[in-house]
Amino acid sequence: MPDSKTPDFYHIDSLLSNDERQVRDTVARFVDDRVLPIIAECFEHERFPTELIPEMAELGLFGPTLQDYGCAGLNNVAYGLIMQELERGDSGVRSFASVQSGLVMYPIHTYGSDEQKKRWLPEMARARKIGCFGLTEPDGGSDPGTMKTRAEKKGSDWVLNGAKMWITSGSIADVAVVWAMTEHGVRGFLLEKGTPGFTSRDIPHKFSLRASVTSELFFDNCRLPESSRLPTAEGLGAPLSCLTQARYGIAWGGVGAAMACYREALEFCRNRVLFGSPLINKQHMQIRLADMVRRITTGQLLALQLGRLKDQGEMHHTQVSLAKWNNVRLGLDIAREARDILGAGGISVECCPVRHMLNLESVITYEGTETIHQLVVGREITGVAAF
Amino acid sequence: MRILTIVKHVPDSNVPIKVRPDGTGIDTTGLKYVIDPFDEFGVELAVQLREKRGDVSEIIALTQGPEKAAETLRVALAMGADSAIHLSDPIFESFDELFYASVIAEAVTKQSTPFDLVLCGKHNIDLDAGAVGPALAEFLDLAHVGAVTNLEITPDGRRFTARRRIEGAEEVVEGALPALLTIEKGLVEPRYPSLPNLMKAKKKPLTVLTSKELPGSASHKASAQIAYVTPPPPRPECKFIEGEPAQMAHELVRFLRDEAKVL
Ligand SMILES: Cc1cc2nc3c(=O)[nH]c(=O)nc-3n(C[C@H](O)[C@H](O)[C@H](O)COP(=O)(O)OP(=O)(O)OC[C@H]3O[C@@H](n4cnc5c(N)ncnc54)[C@H](O)[C@@H]3O)c2cc1C
């Protein structure tokens, strides 16, 4: 078994601090011991491994960058390495962690009242409470400004109506961060499971992220007290800032998935003897493997520098767009390439590339499609919005 | 009860080891090191004893190794040890487990309060001589039980019953504390150090001792040295027997008798 840094063609390991390395190796071990032995079966049977949640919480994988509330207070590079390792296991497992940390704990921490923070963050760090993030609606996720979910003020309460779609962890969540249009623009609400009028339904027939729960949420005259609104979240910028957090993690995750596929392809080429010699002896195969390493190395460097910028407080969301685009694209391309290299065996879920390949079809779409990120970068360099 | 757990910083067994071309040892460049998995059982056992009993007052982790070995101490601290001792000096570096144990023994004897229980792995995965535990027990004049698979300590903390597997049977050893036990796989399942605990471990006390504090190390030099290291011979090619089951069995017997000559 190769160690957790393979491939590390540019000795990027030496650019990491001891803390960062130790965090990565701890999570790598968890992924090797706990995730990899069960994940193919989960994917095949469309089952999210809920049994891993308490262990992930015990490890401190939820809200790991927060300083308080029982969290580890890691820097963003260490956080990225966690995401890389989780996605080396499976995008579904990484998605769960991304949502819990980046899309639920982050907005509560950033936009929540003290009371909301005290109530939710320690419970969420321990995963005694699970969260989901409801922004996308059935009529077009790329343009959330046109959302139809409405919150209306009635006396001191809010009344919520509408629906959200493609919501990760939707039906297993104890609380949903729901973004709704109000008279004064977009606002965020903490909607608890069991609130009258709030229902959910899982989305079946997925051929991607099968080891992850994806649901629809329905709000039929849900009454919410003012205290469940995130007080300082005003406008679309608030949910978009959450997405910046989660996309940052995905930029690392794409590399993790690529590393898993590369390792399996390399191992296969070492062992597969065709026309008298192992596949690694073939020029064409070497070019394909070398090209994987080229792409992974650029992705690793991109993610690391992005993390350093984030830790210095200098990361711009357009840089996150470029990294999400680049690293998910390289993950998807490498997964497809590895699938092909493995021949017929590559179509079996017993090999990881086909699973990663199918998963990454979701990852390239959610948290802003590849096209949207290209247009974000395009707008940044030209000054013209072309959406 | 004060517990000392000996932990060694060793190359990760999951990573292929390369032998230096001149045969002087293994190539350590880029090699990943981890806490020895058998020593890790000792740390886990110590922490579990504290969780189960009210009388474990202190758990100290001790390592001997280069500067980087502090990472292994940090894992032990994150798992639940209270403080750590790092024996770090180029003079201490050796491939001789007897010498290694003698350096540790000197450090342990210098501690102001004695230990009731000393734990280490039944062997270390790097040198694999299995001598550290018994040698250390000898140097410290402690009772020793090797490769323990089950342990009970009386409520008053004075006596223990340890079980160990021997060829075809299980041996039950009773004795009085203080004692040194080496741990076999299966006694406990080590926990993952959590990320918050890894961060907190940085704040726990860690004492570094060199040959200045442990002058004895200079006098009892290593008695054994590694002459040279060679890589294992390459695995011979696999022979596949094909055909119907009866035919394959026939061919297998013929092969074992006529070619491999083992029948
Ligand atoms: C498994 C999974 C989990 C998800 N989890 C969540 C979650 O937890 N919370 C949440 O809120 N959402 C979630 N999503 C939703 C996801 O964020 C959206 O699917 C995504 O934003 C795209 O929206 P859409 O599917 O409505 O596609 P659309 O926005 O309808 O886009 C359709 C196509 O048009 C392209 N396009 C869009 N605009 C332009 C343009 N201006 N020019 C050219 N092409 C354009 C897109 O790139 C895409 O190819 C999840 C999705 C999946 C698949």
Side-chain angles (χ1 to χ4, degrees):
Chain A
M1 197 198 301
D3 77 52
S4 50
K5 50 184 201 277
T6 310
D8 182 18
F9 205 70
Y10 263 42
H11 299 290
I12 295 165
D13 197 56
S14 68
L15 300 176
L16 302 177
S17 70
N18 277 345
D19 283 4
E20 290 157 359
R21 241 173 284 155
Q22 216 151 18
V23 165
R24 178 199 58 200
D25 291 346
T26 303
V27 181
R29 195 168 148 192
F30 167 77
V31 169
D32 289 339
D33 293 353
R34 296 284 198 260
V35 179
L36 293 181
I38 61 165
I39 200 64
E41 179 269 333
C42 291
F43 186 91
E44 181 166 4
H45 297 107
E46 205 168 356
R47 179 177 84 79
F48 173 64
T50 43
E51 68 270 27
L52 295 179
I53 299 174
E55 286 185 69
M56 291 169 77
E58 192 66 39
L59 255 181
L61 299 187
F62 303 127
T65 55
L66 302 185
Q67 291 290 348
D68 252 321
Y69 312 101
C71 300
L74 304 179
N75 71 6
N76 286 290
V77 170
Y79 173 77
L81 289 162
I82 296 175
M83 294 298 151
Q84 171 189 300
E85 287 309 310
L86 290 178
E87 194 135 9
R88 183 172 65 76
D90 190 82
S91 303
V93 176
R94 200 270 305 135
S95 297
F96 179 83
S98 284
V99 169
Q100 183 85 349
S101 301
L103 294 180
V104 184
M105 294 177 77
Y106 171 81
I108 293 175
H109 189 256
T110 308
Y111 303 111
S113 64
D114 281 346
E115 198 191 306
Q116 288 166 341
K117 289 185 215 180
K118 275 198 209 109
R119 166 151 183 230
W120 292 106
L121 293 177
E123 292 287 283
M124 301 200 81
R126 271 169 224 116
R128 291 205 203 104
K129 298 283 182 217
I130 290 168
C132 71
F133 178 89
L135 179 65
T136 304
E137 301 192 351
D139 291 336
S142 299
D143 187 11
T146 58
M147 68 174 70
K148 298 203 173 94
T149 296
R150 290 260 176 285
E152 266 180 90
K153 195 94 196 224
K154 292 261 169 75
S156 64
D157 288 352
W158 292 89
V159 175
L160 192 67
N161 276 294
K164 297 287 175 183
M165 199 168 177
W166 302 110
I167 306 307
T168 302
S169 305
S171 66
I172 57 170
D174 301 289
V175 62
V177 174
V178 177
W179 301 97
M181 195 58 87
T182 70
E183 230 189 307
H184 304 291
V186 173
R187 294 291 181 271
F189 299 87
L190 299 177
L191 178 59
E192 283 181 65
K193 195 177 200 159
T195 303
F198 175 29
T199 51
S200 65
R201 183 171 64 197
D202 285 346
I203 299 176
H205 313 306
K206 287 184 300 168
F207 275 60
S208 173
L209 278 198
R210 287 171 64 82
S212 169
V213 175
T214 316
S215 322
E216 289 177 88
L217 310 180
F218 305 98
F219 322 116
D220 179 13
N221 283 312
C222 295
R223 248 190 137 77
L224 293 170
E226 168 66 16
S227 63
S228 64
R229 188 172 70 81
L230 293 170
T232 62
E234 293 186 353
L236 201 56
L240 293 183
S241 76
C242 303
L243 294 175
T244 299
Q245 301 304 311
R247 288 164 180 166
Y248 165 76
I250 293 174
W252 288 85
V255 177
M259 287 163 79
C261 295
Y262 161 76
R263 290 182 201 174
E264 190 149 347
L266 177 63
E267 193 55 27
F268 176 83
C269 291
R270 278 191 203 292
N271 296 323
R272 187 70 150 193
V273 177
L274 292 174
F275 300 97
S277 75
L279 282 178
I280 47 164
N281 294 6
K282 320 284 176 193
Q283 235 178 28
H284 181 59
M285 213 43 114
Q286 287 198 5
I287 293 170
R288 295 172 85 178
L289 293 167
D291 199 47
M292 287 187 186
V293 170
R294 171 182 66 80
R295 283 180 282 181
I296 289 171
T297 304
T298 55
Q300 287 169 328
L301 287 167
L302 206 68
L304 181 61
Q305 171 63 0
L306 189 67
R308 295 282 179 241
L309 288 172
K310 192 168 185 342
D311 279 327
Q312 290 155 17
E314 285 172 15
M315 182 183 83
H316 193 258
H317 73 87
T318 56
Q319 294 166 326
V320 182
S321 282
L322 185 88
K324 195 255 177 191
W325 159 23
N326 187 71
N327 289 7
V328 178
R329 168 53 65 188
L330 75 86
L332 181 57
D333 288 346
I334 286 174
R336 288 174 176 165
E337 189 83 15
R339 206 299 306 143
D340 179 70
I341 286 174
L342 295 181
I347 70 157
S348 166
V349 77
E350 283 173 19
C351 304
C352 77
V354 73
R355 178 168 52 81
H356 283 297
M357 175 186 114
L358 292 168
N359 280 339
L360 290 165
E361 296 291 350
S362 282
V363 181
I364 206 159
T365 289
Y366 72 24
E367 301 274 349
T369 66
E370 183 177 63
T371 306
I372 291 296
H373 289 298
Q374 290 164 334
L375 295 177
V376 166
V377 174
R379 179 183 58 192
E380 181 66 14
I381 54 185
T382 62
V384 185
F387 296 96
Chain B
M1 191 187 300
R2 294 181 84 232
I3 306 179
L4 176 71
T5 73
I6 312 294
V7 291
K8 197 169 184 195
H9 193 58
V10 296
D12 186 351
S13 62
N14 290 324
V15 186
I17 301 286
K18 274 189 239 146
V19 171
R20 276 196 227 126
D22 63 2
T24 53
I26 60 165
D27 184 356
T28 56
T29 40
L31 206 57
K32 188 178 154 221
Y33 282 75
V34 294
I35 182 171
D36 184 279
F38 286 90
D39 291 343
E40 194 179 18
F41 296 140
V43 181
E44 179 63 33
L45 176 63
V47 177
Q48 286 191 13
L49 284 172
R50 164 144 65 200
E51 286 166 354
K52 278 191 219 125
R53 307 172 57 95
D55 62 349
V56 176
S57 56
E58 196 173 11
I59 301 172
I60 299 185
L62 183 148
T63 199
Q64 191 241 282
E67 209 177 307
K68 283 222 162 239
E71 285 173 27
T72 276
L73 285 177
R74 202 162 141 205
V75 172
L77 291 169
M79 288 172 75
D82 303 298
S83 63
I85 302 172
H86 186 177
L87 314 183
S88 182
D89 196 306
I91 293 181
F92 300 161
E93 296 301 320
S94 140
F95 292 116
D96 180 0
E97 288 197 348
L98 269 183
F99 174 71
Y100 172 81
S102 73
V103 176
I104 295 175
E106 189 185 354
V108 175
T109 346
K110 293 230 158 119
Q111 295 295 301
S112 48
T113 345
F115 293 97
D116 303 287
L117 193 57
V118 180
L119 301 172
C120 46
K122 78 156 182 183
H123 62 187
N124 288 126
I125 63 166
D126 56 349
L127 300 177
D128 207 4
V132 177
L136 185 56
E138 194 61 30
F139 288 132
L140 296 174
D141 200 18
L142 288 176
H144 158 251
V145 187
V148 173
T149 52
N150 185 287
L151 177 71
E152 275 162 44
I153 297 177
T154 51
D156 64 6
R158 285 167 187 243
R159 296 190 64 79
F160 68 87
T161 308
R163 287 165 189 268
R164 56 196 302 270
R165 279 191 294 269
I166 55 172
E167 196 72 27
E170 185 176 61
E171 203 172 69
V172 182
V173 186
E174 291 182 352
L177 294 179
L180 183 147
L181 309 178
T182 73
I183 313 301
E184 172 65 291
K185 190 179 175 148
L187 175 59
V188 284
E189 185 64 39
R191 68 197 62 197
Y192 299 100
S194 78
L195 306 186
N197 285 344
L198 268 177
M199 294 300 120
K200 283 184 208 142
K202 283 196 289 191
K203 300 198 182 100
K204 291 189 178 177
L206 192 157
T207 315
V208 180
L209 300 178
T210 66
S211 57
K212 245 201 315 196
E213 292 83 13
L214 306 172
S217 52
S219 59
H220 45 234
K221 279 219 188 77
S223 52
Q225 280 175 351
I226 290 183
Y228 57 87
V229 180
T230 55
R235 233 181 340 169
E237 225 174 281
C238 216
K239 184 174 166 69
F240 286 98
I241 298 173
E242 285 167 16
E244 292 300 311
Q247 214 182 336
M248 283 158 67
H250 190 82
E251 171 60 15
L252 178 64
V253 172
R254 188 204 61 77
F255 178 82
L256 291 175
R257 190 185 53 219
D258 299 347
E259 287 184 43
K261 297 200 193 313
V262 291
L263 290 185

